[in-house]
Amino acid sequence: MDITHGTSREHPVVHHVSVTQPLFWLRQGLNDLRKAPADALFYGAAFVLMGYLLISYFDSAPQFVLTLSTLFLLGGPFLAIGLYDLARQHEEVRAPQRVSLWHSMTAWKANLPGFTLFAALLAVLVFGWFRVSLLLFALFYDTAALPSLDELLANAMLPANLPFLLAYFGVGFLFAATVFALSVVAIPMLLDKEVDTVTAMVNSLQAVYKNLLTMTVWAAMIVILTAVGFATYFIGLIIIMPLLGLASWHAYRAMITYES
């Protein structure tokens, strides 16, 4: 199956979309999931496995597991490149053709320089959040006797822990909002067109700015659905993450068109 890659000679145009569009994106993502459930659920299973690895490895170190759980949300758009490609393939193939899982797994090769630089920038943000989170734990807890993750969650609503929670999730929100704004359009654009990383990120910021309310609703839906997946001990992520990844491609399509 040959899927052509766009060229950078096309000029991206950012569009305003209504606040009800996120629901439509989810329906489109669900349709894509139904067309190729095994391929999409392959990525969902990878997210579930990653969740179990985080819990099993960092269960005794809450300062790491909470940080890495947050990074799970931050890195989601980048990890979903394969899902974006599946959604793009659905636009190209016609029955009785089917999408290619292998093509989606190697889709990043289409714009290796762009994805490499974006990964480097994401790594810088991730490292910054990692260091800040450790600093917050050091400020609020005795690092020689950190509470276990179970203890931290059990006592989360105690008044004594509220300053830590406000600081931790406040700073985490700033990091997450930054990554979301930079990536929500950028990563699908890097996959779809031969553009550089800076151009893709600028268009992503413009899309968020032009659709601030809609993007706030979309981000809230992503957080809520991901939290549901976490609450099911990661099992729910096997469907939720593919659904969000496929829907995010349609969000990109709705907000960005190209003119020669």
Side-chain angles (χ1 to χ4, degrees):
M1 179 178 56
D2 178 32
I3 296 181
T4 59
H5 198 264
T7 67
S8 58
R9 290 190 296 271
E10 297 173 302
H11 175 67
V13 178
V14 179
H15 297 277
H16 173 74
V17 295
S18 73
V19 72
T20 60
Q21 280 293 294
L23 290 174
F24 181 61
W25 300 336
L26 284 177
R27 287 198 297 270
Q28 289 178 302
L30 183 60
N31 287 336
D32 287 341
L33 195 155
R34 288 171 173 167
K35 291 176 183 176
D39 299 309
L41 295 181
F42 168 83
Y43 288 99
F47 277 101
V48 173
L49 177 61
M50 186 169 65
Y52 285 147
L53 290 175
L54 290 180
I55 289 296
S56 64
Y57 189 76
F58 293 102
D59 187 50
S60 61
Q63 74 275 29
F64 294 127
V65 72
L66 287 179
T67 300
L68 290 172
S69 296
T70 305
L71 300 184
F72 191 95
L73 295 173
L74 298 181
F78 193 80
L79 296 175
I81 292 174
L83 290 165
Y84 298 154
D85 186 69
L86 287 178
R88 186 177 64 163
Q89 289 185 58
H90 282 304
E91 298 173 350
E92 302 290 335
V93 301
R94 296 293 182 269
Q97 291 179 298
R98 67 179 306 277
V99 300
S100 167
L101 178 62
W102 177 251
H103 187 282
S104 71
M105 293 173 65
T106 59
W108 50 270
K109 293 181 179 180
N111 194 346
L112 184 57
F115 282 127
T116 300
L117 180 56
F118 192 95
L121 294 174
L122 181 63
V124 171
L125 287 171
V126 164
F127 180 76
W129 168 232
F130 183 75
R131 299 303 298 175
V132 170
S133 66
L134 290 180
L135 176 61
L136 290 173
F137 269 94
L139 289 174
F140 286 94
Y141 293 99
D142 179 6
T143 55
L146 284 172
S148 67
L149 181 60
D150 290 339
E151 292 172 339
L152 194 63
L153 293 176
N155 300 321
M157 291 296 103
L158 293 180
N161 289 327
L162 289 181
F164 167 75
L165 292 175
L166 289 174
Y168 187 90
F169 287 104
V171 176
F173 170 79
L174 293 178
F175 275 91
T178 300
V179 173
F180 175 80
L182 290 173
S183 64
V184 65
V185 165
I187 296 180
M189 182 179 286
L190 288 171
L191 176 67
D192 193 34
K193 303 292 179 180
E194 293 178 3
V195 299
D196 61 89
T197 306
V198 174
T199 297
M201 291 193 299
V202 168
N203 279 275
S204 190
L205 291 172
Q206 289 176 341
V208 172
Y209 178 76
K210 196 167 186 176
N211 299 279
L212 187 58
L213 180 57
T214 303
M215 288 293 93
T216 300
V217 171
W218 180 229
M221 292 172 69
I222 291 173
V223 171
I224 291 171
L225 288 173
T226 305
V228 170
F230 275 55
T232 60
Y233 201 59
F234 302 108
I235 293 297
L237 295 179
I238 197 169
I239 294 177
I240 289 173
M241 296 311 291
L243 175 62
L244 290 175
L246 295 167
S248 293
W249 175 261
H250 294 288
Y252 157 71
R253 282 296 198 217
M255 289 186 289
I256 304 292
T257 59
Y258 295 90
E259 296 178 352
S260 300

